[in-house]
Amino acid sequence: MALGRNPSSATVAVNEPKRNAPQSRKSIVQTDLRHSHGTDVGSVIAHHQAVASVESLATIDRPPSDAEELPPSKIYHPLSPHVLALLMPSSIFGALARLGLQALTTYDGQSVFALAYVQATGCFIMGIALGMRAPFGRYYGPLYTAMTTGFCGSLTTFSGWQVDVFDSWVNASQYSRGGLQNFLDGLTKTWVTLVVSLASLSFGVHICGLVAPYFSAPRSPSRDVRYALTTASILTYAATFPAYFCLPSDFRHQATAALLFAFPGTLSRYLLSIYLNQRSKYFPLGTFAANSMGTALLGLFRVLQGLPSSVSPATCSLLQGLGDGYCGCFTTVSTFAAEVVALGGWKAWLYVVISWCVGQLLLLIIMGTSFWAGHVNERTTCTFNAS
């Protein structure tokens, strides 16, 4: 039996009813959750429907299961080593793609703010991945979680969106404009991000529905290939440490520091989604907790970068890496958008309003009070190069 394929006691508990063994209360709950996760969110979005319950949204993050009519040999536990290992390179590539897109789309006279491209791209790919859930499962289930939770979740960023909006409220860039213009700028970044993200996700699901019938899943990788892929994934993350210390220090604040913290951020979000998303009947509590905590942490790191007393360039690079890497991958707009579209109705609006308001309130408490007390500069005072 391959490593990670139904090895845990949780999976055994789910399968106990098939052996007519006595069930504990825990195994009964796990069995009920397994059946409640059978809704394919991609199909729900494609048919402009809403999920029956919040529990059904678990399919967004978890690898394909028996709901896709997969044989037991192709079903992976959410905490399988194969699943967790593939989150390593996918989160790294997602963070790199985000930093690259932001650098590419930031220039003088730009008409669209840089994060709009990031959120649109990540949500579009997320929509395609949601529609390909069953083919992913027939080929190699951990790749689905790597694409959705790993790559798309790390490419998009909820905390970056919230800080960007708050920076507009307080005019952190110190543009020559009044309070009304500051308000309009923040409001624009709010609704444009929402509209672009939701539309891109739905468009991705639609495109997948058009092209998916013409593609068939390739043959599943052999056991040796699977283990080689898992090993290569672990080595990819291990390589971020020598990359940080051995490459020129100029690269640290630009990328290498962020790569150190990309996987820990993604893993934190993934674990929260697994253990908390089913705790509320109104909206996914795990994603909400990740986005809220990540936003608060990013606000704290921004405050530390704006302190009048300068810190060392190495510390500045680490703070930048924690913001871009950990917070950027800890929070997500792609999963958030998928959950909003799939929820539908008043629950979707409730989820959006609470998530946005909590994020802005946290930044008001952390960043706003620091700025207005005069102890912290709205603009980063960190220097990344030693003088």
Side-chain angles (χ1 to χ4, degrees):
M1 180 180 293
L3 180 63
R5 295 192 172 194
N6 303 328
S8 68
S9 60
T11 307
V12 173
V14 170
N15 292 331
E16 282 180 357
K18 298 180 181 180
R19 300 195 301 269
N20 297 321
Q23 283 183 282
S24 65
R25 180 179 179 183
K26 179 179 179 181
S27 65
I28 293 174
V29 172
Q30 289 169 331
T31 303
D32 292 340
L33 284 177
R34 183 191 66 176
H35 291 296
S36 68
H37 293 165
T39 303
D40 185 349
V41 173
S43 298
V44 168
I45 296 175
H47 291 88
H48 305 287
Q49 299 172 341
V51 294
S53 63
V54 174
E55 288 83 357
S56 301
L57 298 176
T59 59
I60 295 176
D61 290 322
R62 297 171 182 244
S65 62
D66 52 358
E68 283 73 33
E69 300 180 353
L70 299 176
S73 61
K74 292 188 176 183
I75 298 176
Y76 289 80
H77 190 275
L79 298 181
S80 161
H82 294 292
V83 175
L84 298 180
L86 282 183
L87 289 178
M88 296 180 182
S90 59
S91 60
I92 290 173
F93 293 138
L96 277 176
R98 168 163 40 87
L99 295 175
L101 270 176
Q102 285 184 276
L104 182 66
T105 56
T106 301
Y107 49 86
D108 292 337
Q110 63 190 62
S111 299
V112 181
F113 53 97
L115 276 181
Y117 295 95
V118 170
Q119 318 290 27
T121 303
C123 289
F124 175 73
I125 299 174
M126 182 72 161
I128 295 177
L130 289 174
M132 297 291 289
R133 177 177 169 83
F136 268 119
R138 290 191 293 270
Y139 177 63
Y140 186 46
L143 282 177
Y144 169 81
T145 303
M147 181 61 68
T148 55
T149 303
F151 182 78
C152 295
S154 300
L155 172 56
T156 59
T157 170
F158 186 91
S159 58
W161 170 39
Q162 291 294 294
V163 170
D164 203 24
V165 171
F166 191 81
D167 281 344
S168 294
W169 301 138
V170 301
N171 193 15
S173 299
Q174 298 180 1
Y175 293 116
S176 179
R177 64 190 188 195
L180 177 61
Q181 287 73 35
N182 293 338
F183 171 77
L184 290 176
D185 191 48
L187 184 64
T188 300
K189 288 180 178 178
T190 296
W191 73 263
V192 167
T193 299
L194 277 174
V195 171
V196 166
S197 300
L198 299 179
S200 298
L201 181 99
S202 299
F203 184 53
V205 172
H206 177 70
I207 292 297
C208 181
L210 294 178
V211 301
Y214 300 97
F215 293 92
S216 58
R219 184 178 179 181
S220 299
S222 65
R223 181 177 181 274
D224 291 339
V225 172
R226 294 195 304 270
Y227 274 86
L229 187 59
T230 298
T231 303
S233 299
I234 297 173
L235 292 176
T236 299
Y237 178 61
T240 61
F241 290 89
Y244 176 82
F245 291 105
C246 297
L247 290 178
S249 58
D250 289 345
F251 293 147
R252 291 180 179 177
H253 70 280
Q254 297 175 2
T256 55
L259 302 187
L260 285 176
F261 303 106
F263 170 65
T266 300
L267 181 62
S268 301
R269 169 167 46 85
Y270 182 56
L271 294 176
L272 284 175
S273 71
I274 290 176
Y275 291 111
L276 295 182
N277 269 0
Q278 297 86 22
R279 298 297 181 91
S280 171
K281 63 181 180 180
Y282 299 108
F283 55 80
L285 192 58
T287 306
F288 170 76
N291 284 340
S292 299
M293 289 190 291
T295 299
L297 285 173
L298 183 58
L300 175 62
F301 298 146
R302 283 289 301 273
V303 168
L304 294 177
Q305 287 182 304
L307 291 174
S309 56
S310 60
V311 295
S312 67
T315 302
C316 284
S317 296
L318 285 176
L319 288 173
Q320 188 68 33
L322 284 167
D324 292 336
Y326 186 83
C327 296
C329 296
F330 187 28
T331 64
T332 176
V333 166
S334 56
T335 301
F336 172 75
E339 292 165 345
V340 169
V341 175
L343 276 174
W346 67 270
K347 287 185 178 180
W349 284 105
L350 177 68
Y351 186 30
V352 170
V353 171
I354 291 181
S355 296
W356 186 89
C357 289
V358 168
Q360 290 300 300
L361 180 61
L362 288 170
L363 294 179
L364 177 64
I365 296 172
I366 297 171
M367 295 176 61
T369 55
S370 300
F371 293 160
W372 298 324
H375 304 306
V376 175
N377 197 318
E378 289 90 342
R379 307 188 72 172
T380 299
T381 57
C382 258
T383 56
F384 300 106
N385 297 316
S387 57

